[in-house]
Amino acid sequence: MALPRPTSDITFSQATVRVHPTLPTVRTTSSPLPDAKTLYKRKIFQHRKTPPLHFSMGGRLSSWPANASAQAVLQNRKPCSTTDKTGAVSHRARDKPALTVSKPRYLEQLENYLRKELLLLDMKKDNSEELKLQPYREIFEFFIEDFKTYKPLLSSIKNAYEVTLAHFREKIRSLEPLKAMLVNVSEDCNEKILAIRAEERYEIKMLKKEKINLLKLIDKKNEEKISLQTQVTKLRKTLAEEYLHFLNERDARRILVADLNELRYQREDMSLAQCPDVWGEDPVKLTLALKMARQDLTRTQKELNTMKANFGDVVPRRDFEMEEKKNKELFEMVESLRSDFEEIRKEYDTLLQVHMTIVRDRDEFSRDLQEIQRTSTPRPDWSKCEDVISGGQERWQFLSQGKSSDQLVDVLLEEIGSGLLRERETFQGLGSTEDIPEFLRSGGFVRNKKLSKKEVVDIIKDVWKERMAEEQEKEKTSTLAQFFLDYLKKRFGDASAMDWSYTIFENVKLFHSSEVMKQFHDVLTGKADENVYLGQRELASYLLKELTNSDSQNEGNLTPDQFSMVLKNAFPLKTDEQIQELLELAKVQLEGIPRDIHYRLLFVEDELGASGPFIHKLWEQAENEKKAYLLDLEIELGPNRAAETTPERLRHALTSIDPSLDEQTLDNYLSQAFQTPIAELEPEHSQRQDVLLTHLRAGAIKRMGPRELEPAS
C-alpha cells in the first residue's frame, strides 16, 4: 500500500516559511535570507513562546497531539496568544473562542496501514512476535525516508534496536540447547528418585514381611512353651496320684503283714495248748519270756511308728529317678526355648534399630532431595565476585577456597553486611520488655562502636575466660546473657555498656563463619547450652595435659606410636579407626615436619580464635559419639516419640545404656532433660520423649563407660 509522503522538509530557502496553521505567515519577498545565528535565536525564541511543534502533512509544524488532549487545545487560548510575566492571559485572547485540532491525515493513513498489516498476520505461528514487528519496521522506514533531515538519527536508532534484537535472538537461540539439557537432567533425576523410592519401598516391604515371620515364630514358641507347661502340670498331677496309690498299697501291705503275724501267733498258741509238755515248763520263765516278748513288740512298734513318720513321704528310688530324668529333659527343653527366644528378641531389637536408622536416613534423604529440587538452579559464576569484594582476586580466592555454594553465599552476606555495619552510626533499641534479652534492653538509639572482627573475638575470649574463672570460684547463679551485661558494665561503665552490647551482638549475628562468634551467638540466644562450649575447651585441655604428661623430655615432641598410645589411654571408648583418623589428620596438619609430632602446634589458634583441623576432628568425633549415645537412649525409651516419659523411666534408660554413670552426672542429665533443678523435679513430672531428647541434644552429654553386654543364657 503506497503512503503519501510529506511535500518537503522545512527549509528557509523558499520565500515563504509555513509554520503552525494557527501561527501568522511571515513573507520575506525582498529581504535577504537570515543567517544561521539569526535563525538559531529565532528558533529559541519560538521554542520559548510556543509549545513543542510536530511535523504534519505538507511540511507544516503541528502541535497535535502534544498540546491537544483529545479534541482541542487549552480553553480560551490560542497557540499564539501572549501572556504577561506572571503567566496571565490577555483579555483579547480570552474573548476569542477555543479552536479544535484534528488528527493529521498522514498519521491516520499510517495507523490504517499498520492496522491492516496486523490483521493480515497469522498469529498462530511460533514466530508470530517477530512477524508482528515487520509492519512497525515498515512504518519506521517510512518516517526515515520522508524526513530527510532526521534520517541519520532515525537510522542510527533503528540500527541500534535491530542490533539489540539480533543479539537477544542469538542469545535465546544459544540458550535453547541448555533448556533441552535441563529437561533431560530433570527427567534423569526424577527417574533416579523414583528408582530410589521403589527400592526403599521394596526394602521396607521385605523388612515388614520378615518382622511378621519373626512375630509368628515367637507366637509359635510361646504356644510350645504353654503346651510344655501344661504337660508338666499334668505329669505332676499323675505323680501325686501314683504316690497316693503306692502309699495306700504300703499301708494295706503292712496291715496284711500284721494280720498274718496275728494268725501265726494264734496258731502257735493253739499248738502249745495242744502239747501237754509245754505246761510242764516253769511258769515264771514263761512269764518272763512273755514280758520280754511284749517289750520287744513295744520297741518294734515304736521303731515302726518312727519309720512311718520319717519315711512316710518317701517314694521309691526307681520312680524318683524316672521323674528326675523327665524333669531334667523338660528343664533342658525350656532352657533351649528360652535361649532361642532371647536370640530372636535380640534379632528383633537389631532389626528394629536398623529399621529406625533406615527411616531416619530416608527422611534425611527426602529432605535433602526436596532441598535440592528447591535450590536446583544453574551454578553461579563466583568469579564475578572478585571485582566486588575488597581485596580483589587474591582475597576472594582465599575466602572461597574449599567452600560450597551455600557457604559462599554466607561469605558474600558477611562481606556485604560488614560494609553496611561499618557505615551505620547508631542502632535502634529493641525495647525494655521482658521478652527482650537483658543485654539488649534499650528503648532509644545506641552508638555503633565499629569494632573489627579481631576486637570482637578478643572481647568474647575475655568473657569466656572470666566466666570459667567465676565457675571455678563459685557455683553459677546467672545465665551467660546476664553475665555478659555485667561484664560490659564492669569493663566499659554503665553509660556505654549498651553501646558495646549492641555492637558485639550485631557482629556475632553476622559473622557465622567465625566459630568463636557463632558459638557465642548460639549460647546467647539459647540455641545451645554454654556447657557445650566449655566441654569442647575442657576436651582440648584434657588431651593437651595428657600429651604433656607423656612427654618426659618436655620438648613438645612425641613419636607417632607414643601419640597414638596417649590417644588410646585418654579416650578408651574410641575405636581404632577413630584413633587412626586423628593420627593421620595430625600428620597432615603438621605436614613438612619430619618424623616426630609437635603436638603443641595442634592446639594453636589463629588470630580470630579458629582451631586447627585436628581439634575440629576431635570435636566432630565427640559430636558423633553424642549422637550415637542419644540414639541408644531413644531406642531404649521406645519408638513412640510422643510418649510421656517420667524422670524414673529416663533414669532407668540412662543407667541401662551407660551403667558407669554416677549419681551426680545422672542428676545433671535429668535436670537438663526436664529443664528443672533436680531438687524441684517431682516423680510424677512427665514430658514428651522428643522434647527430652531435644533438650539433651542441645546440652553437653557423653557416654561415661562401655555398655555392658547381657550374659548368655
Side-chain angles (χ1 to χ4, degrees), residues 216-232 330 333-338 340-341 344:
K216 290 180 179 179
L217 182 59
I218 291 172
D219 294 338
K220 183 178 179 181
K221 296 296 182 182
N222 289 333
E223 291 176 358
E224 292 179 358
K225 181 181 177 181
I226 294 172
S227 176
L228 291 174
Q229 289 178 351
T230 305
Q231 293 179 9
V232 170
L330 292 175
M333 187 180 298
V334 171
E335 290 297 324
S336 176
L337 292 175
R338 184 181 289 110
D340 294 340
F341 175 75
I344 294 173

Side-chain angles (χ1 to χ4, degrees), residues 261-452:
N261 292 331
E262 184 66 24
L263 291 174
R264 183 166 57 85
Y265 293 152
Q266 290 178 2
R267 188 176 58 184
E268 290 178 353
D269 292 339
M270 291 176 63
S271 60
L272 290 174
Q274 293 176 0
C275 293
D277 296 336
V278 175
W279 297 103
E281 294 183 0
D282 188 3
V284 177
K285 184 185 295 184
L286 291 175
T287 303
L288 183 60
L290 180 59
K291 184 177 180 181
M292 293 300 294
R294 288 177 178 175
Q295 290 179 356
D296 293 340
L297 178 61
T298 304
R299 185 173 65 254
T300 304
Q301 190 67 35
K302 288 182 179 179
E303 291 179 357
L304 181 60
N305 293 334
T306 304
M307 293 291 290
K308 287 181 179 180
N310 292 335
F311 300 99
D313 297 333
V314 176
V315 298
R317 180 177 296 275
R318 183 181 61 183
D319 297 341
F320 173 75
E321 290 178 352
M322 290 178 61
E323 295 299 331
E324 186 179 17
K325 183 178 179 181
K326 291 181 181 179
N327 186 32
K328 185 176 181 181
E329 292 176 355
L330 292 175
F331 180 76
E332 291 177 353
M333 187 180 298
V334 171
E335 290 297 324
S336 176
L337 292 175
R338 184 181 289 110
S339 63
D340 294 340
F341 175 75
E342 291 297 329
E343 291 179 359
I344 294 173
R345 188 180 65 81
K346 290 180 181 178
E347 292 178 359
Y348 173 75
D349 294 340
T350 304
L351 290 175
L352 181 61
Q353 182 177 358
V354 172
H355 174 69
M356 294 180 64
T357 305
I358 292 174
V359 170
R360 188 178 294 103
D361 294 341
R362 183 198 63 188
D363 295 341
E364 292 179 358
F365 290 151
S366 178
R367 288 193 295 270
D368 294 341
L369 178 60
Q370 293 177 1
E371 183 67 20
I372 291 173
Q373 289 178 347
R374 186 179 65 83
T375 60
S376 58
T377 56
R379 184 174 179 82
D381 185 9
W382 295 107
S383 60
K384 295 179 181 179
C385 302
E386 296 175 355
D387 300 330
V388 180
I389 299 299
S390 60
Q393 181 179 3
E394 295 182 359
R395 187 167 183 270
W396 173 249
Q397 290 179 354
F398 172 76
L399 292 175
S400 62
Q401 184 178 6
K403 291 183 173 61
S404 61
S405 298
D406 188 40
Q407 293 173 340
L408 289 175
V409 172
D410 293 338
V411 171
L412 284 178
L413 292 177
E414 289 181 4
E415 291 294 325
I416 296 171
S418 61
L420 296 175
L421 194 61
R422 286 193 297 269
E423 294 175 0
R424 297 184 65 176
E425 296 294 332
T426 58
F427 300 106
Q428 175 64 47
L430 299 178
S432 302
T433 58
E434 292 295 331
D435 56 339
I436 304 298
E438 294 185 24
F439 62 92
L440 296 177
R441 290 179 185 174
S442 176
F445 288 91
V446 294
R447 292 178 55 195
N448 182 9
K449 293 297 183 178
K450 298 182 179 181
L451 303 175
S452 63

Side-chain angles (χ1 to χ4, degrees), residues 20 149 263 288 330 375 468 473 591 611 624 676:
H20 193 277
T149 304
L263 291 174
L288 183 60
L330 292 175
T375 60
M468 287 187 288
E473 293 177 0
E591 185 178 3
S611 302
N624 293 335
T676 306

Side-chain angles (χ1 to χ4, degrees), residues 466-651:
E466 294 291 334
R467 182 65 168 174
M468 287 187 288
E470 181 192 47
E471 183 180 5
Q472 292 177 357
E473 293 177 0
K474 58 182 180 179
E475 187 177 359
K476 290 186 294 186
T477 57
S478 62
T479 62
L480 181 64
Q482 298 170 346
F483 178 81
F484 177 58
L485 181 61
D486 295 338
Y487 168 85
L488 294 178
K489 290 180 179 179
K490 179 180 178 182
R491 180 171 178 178
F492 303 107
D494 294 344
S496 61
M498 201 57 64
D499 300 342
W500 287 90
S501 177
Y502 268 82
T503 303
I504 295 173
F505 183 74
E506 290 294 330
N507 278 272
V508 299
K509 184 173 66 174
L510 176 63
F511 296 105
H512 279 191
S513 60
S514 173
E515 63 182 55
V516 176
M517 292 187 182
K518 186 178 184 304
Q519 288 178 342
F520 191 74
H521 176 265
D522 291 343
V523 175
L524 279 180
T525 55
K527 295 180 180 179
D529 192 81
E530 63 177 295
N531 291 327
V532 176
Y533 174 85
L534 299 177
Q536 290 180 351
R537 298 300 165 182
E538 290 177 357
L539 182 64
S541 301
Y542 168 72
L543 179 57
L544 179 59
K545 180 180 178 181
E546 292 294 324
L547 292 171
T548 304
N549 294 336
S550 300
D551 186 8
S552 58
Q553 303 296 330
N554 198 19
E555 296 176 354
N557 299 331
L558 289 175
T559 63
D561 294 338
Q562 293 175 340
F563 187 78
S564 178
M565 186 60 64
V566 172
L567 290 177
K568 291 181 180 179
N569 295 332
F571 308 110
L573 298 180
K574 289 188 180 295
T575 62
D576 294 338
E577 289 79 10
Q578 291 176 323
I579 298 297
Q580 186 64 27
E581 189 178 13
L582 290 173
L583 180 60
E584 294 297 332
L585 197 58
K587 292 180 181 179
V588 172
Q589 183 174 345
L590 300 176
E591 185 178 3
I593 301 177
R595 295 188 304 277
D596 293 345
I597 296 178
H598 294 256
Y599 60 87
R600 291 177 182 170
L601 298 178
L602 300 175
F603 299 87
V604 176
E605 299 178 348
D606 60 9
E607 61 180 3
L608 294 180
S611 302
F614 176 82
I615 299 299
H616 278 285
K617 177 57 67 175
L618 186 64
W619 292 343
E620 180 183 348
Q621 289 184 356
E623 184 65 23
N624 293 335
E625 293 168 0
K626 173 182 174 182
K627 292 180 180 178
Y629 186 68
L630 291 176
L631 179 60
D632 292 341
L633 179 60
E634 182 178 357
I635 295 173
E636 186 68 23
L637 290 174
N640 188 7
R641 297 174 60 88
E644 295 291 328
T645 304
T646 60
E648 186 62 30
R649 185 184 176 193
L650 181 60
R651 180 187 296 270

